[in-house]
Amino acid sequence: MSSANTTPPVAGILHLGLGNFHRAHQAVYTRAALDAHGGDWGIVGVASRSRAVVDALRAQRLEYAVAEISPHGMSLSVPAVHSDAFVASETPERLVGSIADPAIRVVTLTVTENGYSYSAATGHLDVAEAGIAADLRGGLPRTTIGGLARGLQRRASDGGSPVTILSCDNLAENGAHTERLVREFLQLLPGGEGDEALAFLDQAVAFPSSMVDRIVPSTTDQLRDDVSAALGRRDEIPVPAEPFSMWAIEDRFAAGRPAWEAGGAVFTDEVGRYEQMKVRLLNGTHSLIAYLGALSGAETIPEAIVRPDIEGAARRVLANEYLPSIQVPSGVDIEDYERQLFDRWANIALRHRTSQVGTDGSVKLRQRVPEPAVLTLRAGAMPQQIALTVAGYLACIAPLPGFEPGPHARAMNDAARPRLAAAAATARSGVDLARAGIAEMQLLGQELAEESAFIARVGELVDIISTHGVGAAIRDCAAASEKSTTHEKELSA
Ligand code: CS2
């Protein structure tokens, strides 16, 4: 076990989103950077609302363990990189002040796809969201984007020292996306109030993109007990994580950065390619496994992927629908990458729950599904397995009357659930439900909203799942994919 010395490092990073992912990913790379090169790169961790992690961190001298879990066992490390922690909703003033603090040179974010307050339909800032509307009216910010904008306004007027805002969430072009939302917020402020900050952004603020990857489940009581026993002291907030970890970052920092490469991070101009590869191949396929798995009664991803029908669907979506939509980053052996994905999903010791991956599908699918689906449609084929993923999502979140999706689907949280459930309650068939989610609510963006054949196929699959079960829908899609591959082969023969 590696354990750092106990003096908290001096802070240079403010991190928004103190969840498990940050603590098993960026914190570990930062420990490696500090060990290799030193520097004032301690992290002030900010939780948006919950006190749980902040209280525990403070009670544990700002330390916790990362438990790397594989079928071969568990190994522990203690990153000890946090220099303080607080809750943004309790002290929004401190959030604004910290973003403005010149000692902070990098602000990192893991606030999930859900934390960016943007509209799935347009990709722009969702001004109808209550938090954004309130933040635009003034006062202390409640949203991440509002907080960033207000903090950057303060920083601009306090001397404007350069800073980098680094998104580490599973969003396409997450740097540009974050910058666009912050700018939109500032542009919407009345009377040119945001102008000074906008000029500051032009000159001294960088928003590089990054691709992050590590499967990090939720913490269980069992893990708390196991880790505490191994450490010989109580740890209330250990984080379980798979052995695999990857971080690809665009090297565009306004005021320096930690030597994260010491932990294996890759600095590259091809972050866009890494993001697409990861968000589609890993996350897109993950969603399919989660929804089909939950509907099949699987509590965890490994229990789902050992089912031959789900593994088959996962292999087909990956090879036929996601892979053709990406450009592989140079130096990545894609066959090896794919092999690793299946090994990672099969990590039975990790107990990654289908309900965790299935949560927030309304914002996650928007990132994973539309472009590959549209590309397949443009090439003249129906993206069968993507349609199946979306049908699985709808069947889990908004089951048609009389259909019981099971406890793992019921455990998925999703902000779109009430609206989708209302549509399901009056739907005459799956197509009505698919139309409500894809065309009316535009959960998958504007382009797919107009693809009536895709919507019809999703609806048909919802009906098959509801009347004959998820296995029948998987077989139906497998047969349809088989037919179109044979047809393609005949055409090219
Ligand atoms: C998962 C991701 O919950 C999900 O939607 O697909 O959290 C996934 O485990 C990580 O992105 C892996 O890096």
Side-chain angles (χ1 to χ4, degrees):
M1 185 184 72
S2 70
S3 183
N5 68 44
T6 48
T7 317
V10 175
I13 300 174
L14 183 76
H15 179 78
L16 313 186
L18 252 188
N20 277 11
F21 185 78
H22 156 72
R23 287 182 291 124
H25 190 270
Q26 183 198 342
V28 173
Y29 286 85
T30 304
R31 169 45 55 204
L34 290 174
D35 286 347
H37 296 282
D40 290 342
W41 292 114
I43 302 173
V44 176
V46 187
S48 8
R49 272 173 205 87
S50 161
R51 289 216 61 82
V53 173
V54 170
D55 285 347
L57 266 179
R58 287 191 181 150
Q60 299 176 190
R61 295 173 311 165
L62 297 159
E63 291 181 12
Y64 62 89
V66 175
E68 205 171 284
I69 296 175
S70 77
H72 312 295
M74 173 169 99
S75 84
L76 299 183
S77 65
V78 178
V81 286
H82 292 92
S83 39
D84 205 350
F86 66 93
V87 182
S89 61
E90 288 177 5
T91 45
E93 174 54 33
R94 181 162 177 201
L95 173 67
V96 172
S98 303
I99 296 172
D101 178 356
I104 296 296
R105 285 156 292 149
V106 180
V107 178
T108 48
L109 289 91
T110 53
V111 293
T112 80
E113 296 91 328
N114 221 353
Y116 287 78
S117 309
Y118 74 100
S119 142
T122 63
H124 291 287
L125 190 69
D126 188 358
V127 288
E129 192 191 285
I132 288 291
D135 284 358
L136 281 168
R137 281 197 297 274
L140 290 166
R142 305 197 222 164
T143 63
T144 299
I145 296 298
L148 278 174
R150 294 298 183 188
L152 289 166
Q153 271 187 294
R154 172 88 58 87
R155 195 169 178 115
S157 63
D158 282 1
S161 69
V163 65
T164 299
I165 314 290
L166 180 66
S167 165
C168 304
D169 282 297
N170 291 323
L171 301 155
E173 297 178 350
N174 53 14
H177 182 75
T178 309
E179 175 167 10
R180 190 177 61 243
L181 297 171
V182 170
R183 281 184 182 273
E184 285 175 0
F185 185 98
L186 293 168
Q187 280 152 0
L188 284 166
L189 293 175
E193 197 200 318
D195 288 356
E196 186 188 18
L198 285 163
F200 170 55
L201 255 62
D202 289 341
Q203 280 156 21
V205 186
F207 288 83
S209 280
S210 81
M211 184 275 327
V212 293
D213 192 5
R214 190 169 203 187
I215 294 177
V216 180
S218 321
T219 303
T220 59
D221 286 338
Q222 181 70 52
L223 186 80
R224 286 187 185 94
D225 291 345
D226 292 351
V227 169
S228 302
L231 288 176
R233 60 184 143 91
R234 191 69 196 161
D235 186 349
E236 286 300 337
I237 48 166
V239 186
E242 64 172 338
F244 182 96
S245 183
M246 199 175 186
W247 198 5
I249 312 168
E250 201 182 349
D251 203 356
R252 212 158 50 73
F253 285 72
R257 61 164 174 83
W260 283 316
E261 56 273 44
V266 178
F267 286 89
T268 168
D269 294 338
E270 294 187 38
V271 171
R273 289 184 177 198
Y274 276 97
E275 275 174 346
Q276 283 192 349
M277 175 176 78
K278 195 263 173 168
V279 170
R280 297 180 191 175
L281 271 52
L282 189 159
N283 296 117
T285 310
H286 224 183
S287 294
L288 172 140
I289 302 168
Y291 296 122
L292 303 185
L295 293 169
S296 308
E299 186 185 357
T300 66
I301 296 288
E303 282 156 8
I305 198 69
V306 293
R307 294 180 58 106
D309 59 347
I310 297 183
E311 185 193 336
R315 291 201 183 274
R316 280 188 295 279
V317 78
L318 208 147
N320 303 347
E321 296 167 24
Y322 287 131
L323 200 52
S325 79
I326 66 155
Q327 287 186 298
V328 178
S330 13
V332 170
D333 175 341
I334 198 69
E335 280 170 20
D336 197 45
Y337 183 82
E338 203 177 317
R339 243 189 321 273
Q340 285 191 59
L341 285 180
F342 280 87
D343 287 349
R344 294 169 62 193
W345 290 324
N347 184 346
I348 189 82
L350 205 55
R351 298 205 53 74
H352 195 199
R353 282 174 297 110
T354 48
S355 58
Q356 183 177 352
V357 179
T359 281
D360 287 339
S362 56
V363 277
K364 289 176 178 174
L365 292 178
R366 173 71 180 88
Q367 294 297 324
R368 305 174 183 192
V369 156
E371 285 80 8
V374 167
L375 283 172
T376 314
L377 288 163
R378 299 272 179 275
M382 176 57 64
Q384 294 290 344
Q385 320 299 324
I386 290 183
L388 180 61
T389 309
V390 178
Y393 162 70
L394 292 172
C396 282
I397 301 298
L400 292 178
F403 175 66
E404 176 47 55
H408 312 307
R410 298 265 181 214
M412 292 171 186
N413 295 318
D414 198 313
R417 198 187 262 279
R419 273 187 78 189
L420 282 173
T426 56
R428 282 155 304 166
S429 70
V431 180
D432 284 348
L433 177 61
R435 215 178 280 126
I438 306 171
E440 285 153 31
M441 294 167 68
Q442 299 196 0
L443 289 178
L444 304 176
Q446 278 162 353
E447 266 188 290
L448 279 181
E450 284 161 21
E451 294 288 347
S452 49
F454 178 76
I455 294 173
R457 182 61 176 147
V458 171
E460 190 176 23
L461 289 166
V462 170
D463 286 334
I464 299 178
I465 294 173
S466 312
T467 49
H468 303 290
V470 68
I474 298 175
R475 285 193 295 280
D476 200 83
C477 286
S481 297
E482 178 67 21
K483 218 158 103 197
S484 78
T485 322
T486 318
H487 181 63
E488 259 171 46
K489 280 195 189 133
E490 281 166 5
L491 284 180
S492 64

